[in-house]
Amino acid sequence: MRKLIILAFIGFCAQLVDGSLGMAYGVTSTSLLLMSGIAPAVASASVHMAEVVTTAASGLSHIRFGNVDKQVVRRLIVPGAIGAFLGACFLSNIPGDLIKPFISVFLLFLGIHVLYRFVFKNERFQKNSRKKFAKKHFIPLGFAAGFFDATGGGGWGPITTPILMAGNKMEPRKVIGSVDTSEFVIAVSSTIGFLLTLGWEQIHVQWVLALMAGGIIAAPVAAWLVKIIPAKLLGTLVGGIIIVTNTRTLLGIFNVPQTWTAAIYIFLFLLWAAAVVYTIMKLKNNKPGVPGNGTP
């Protein structure tokens, strides 16, 4: 029972991060599961299964709070589902680690761009983003994000959120809500693929249910936070987590010594904290607008 309570807490924390910032459910939950002593294969299978329910809860919560652009969701889910299913069924044996460093470097620079954009630039966000991101762009984006989500154990949020946020004048809360809502279909597709190829052997049902329970509780809280947090602060938080998560990936790939790793993490978190404080001070000094509407 104690382990189930811990797993539910892990699910709550992971969904709170993912639902608030549009990414990192897999990174957060898998990392915490491994820290608690669960085998990597079991952790990965459990997380993918739990995501089916947690993403559904998250999507419904974001829809309830008006954080979703339904046309963006429709354009993402079909190529994303195809990519996720193919990745899980047929391509999971491809050494994704070979291309992971290049993706992480690309996303790291996107994170820097997002952080700079929301901390230092004063701009307003258009409620209708369709003029800024053509339909043809969603097909490769959705397919690639779904594919890497299945083959790499995560990637839907870390890929789609920064690209949409860096390349659009779309409201940050709409980016996060749309990405989280569309992820339900991707989670279903990848889970079906894993079940067809791996079976149920790798999945511990009680652990999955515990993760689901924590995620369901956190989903409406996260969606509410996205609704009320000012756009500039939300973008600053997202930019920081993009940088931290991709730095973590690169440090692991290149086996950087723990001393250097700790120093880099401390530096990044201090820089991120300074950016958040600076953004909050700017928001206080400027004329207040409606929370979450992109008003500086």
Side-chain angles (χ1 to χ4, degrees), residues 13-26 58 176 180 183:
C13 293
Q15 184 55 49
L16 192 62
V17 173
D18 186 89
S20 300
L21 302 180
M23 68 190 80
Y25 180 89
S58 182
I176 293 171
D180 270 10
E183 192 174 8

Side-chain angles (χ1 to χ4, degrees), residues 94-168:
I94 288 180
D97 290 341
L98 294 178
I99 53 177
K100 187 179 289 187
F102 300 100
I103 297 173
S104 292
V105 169
F106 170 69
L107 294 175
L108 179 62
F109 280 105
L110 272 184
I112 294 171
H113 170 72
V114 169
L115 192 65
Y116 170 79
R117 176 186 175 194
F118 283 94
V119 173
F120 296 108
K121 297 182 78 174
N122 292 322
E123 56 182 325
R124 297 179 183 274
F125 302 96
Q126 300 175 354
K127 292 183 181 300
N128 186 351
S129 65
R130 295 158 197 164
K131 297 178 181 178
K132 288 291 180 181
F133 214 80
K135 183 178 180 179
K136 63 182 180 181
H137 296 142
F138 284 98
I139 297 174
L141 172 60
F143 184 87
F147 173 81
F148 287 114
D149 186 80
T151 58
W156 181 254
I159 292 175
T160 52
T161 299
I163 289 178
L164 288 176
M165 200 167 284
N168 268 298

